[in-house]
Amino acid sequence: MAFTLTSTHIADQQALPLQFVHSAMGAGGQNVSPDLAWSGAPEGTQSYALTMYDPDAPTGSGWWHWVVYDIPASATGLVMGAGAAGGAALPAGAKLGRTDFGTAEYGGAAPPPGHGPHRYIFTLYALKTPRLDVPPDATAAMIGFNIHFAKLAEARLTALYER
């Protein structure tokens, strides 16, 4: 069985609906995190981590929009809105990491007007450890570094957005 990541609201390689777009920077969305579901995790999975990344952001290093880690191995998805500040709707034990918006919460798409289409890559990682050893204020890059060394498998879903 393949390791897959899906959503009832986002189709792979299709436009990101406005409700999942950021409300700041003139983007005009509702900044709600989408629902996500997964299946087919490899044997030995002890936890999951999820990132949402825009490699097309004009920063020289892309833009981290969402980081969730220490998701328990028993979880099979995240409900819509799970990325809200505080993480109350996350599975027990899961943590929100700091994004490039400077906060630990979901930050939807907000590309510069006229910059063309941006890819928003949701990547779910199956990890061989029950927790990542990172400080509570760790950056997305630091969390990503630790994900890299604990990764068993990954599944992706890519949404597109431009304004």
Side-chain angles (χ1 to χ4, degrees):
M1 184 173 182
F3 187 38
T4 59
L5 178 63
T6 60
S7 173
T8 59
H9 294 101
I10 298 172
D12 194 45
Q13 301 299 321
Q14 299 299 311
L16 187 67
L18 191 60
Q19 72 188 108
F20 308 118
V21 171
H22 208 291
S23 55
M25 298 183 183
Q30 297 170 341
N31 203 42
V32 175
S33 62
D35 70 305
L36 296 168
W38 52 85
S39 62
E43 187 174 327
T45 299
Q46 294 186 43
S47 68
Y48 299 98
L50 173 82
T51 62
M52 177 185 166
Y53 176 70
D54 172 6
D56 305 308
T59 64
S61 61
W63 192 274
W64 295 100
H65 286 263
W66 195 19
V67 181
V68 186
Y69 62 101
D70 292 352
I71 302 168
S74 59
T76 57
L78 298 176
V79 298
M80 189 167 78
L90 290 173
K95 298 174 184 75
L96 290 164
R98 200 173 74 197
T99 70
D100 286 339
F101 288 104
T103 59
E105 63 187 305
Y106 173 82
H115 196 255
H118 283 224
R119 294 166 289 161
Y120 296 89
I121 304 169
F122 295 83
T123 306
L124 180 73
Y125 300 92
L127 306 177
K128 61 185 174 185
T129 61
R131 284 175 302 290
L132 293 179
D133 186 22
V134 297
D137 65 343
T139 64
M142 180 181 221
I143 294 167
F145 178 85
N146 282 271
I147 287 170
H148 175 77
F149 289 101
K151 178 176 71 170
L152 292 170
E154 63 184 65
R156 290 188 174 176
L157 177 63
T158 301
L160 308 173
Y161 191 75
E162 70 178 297
R163 57 186 184 122

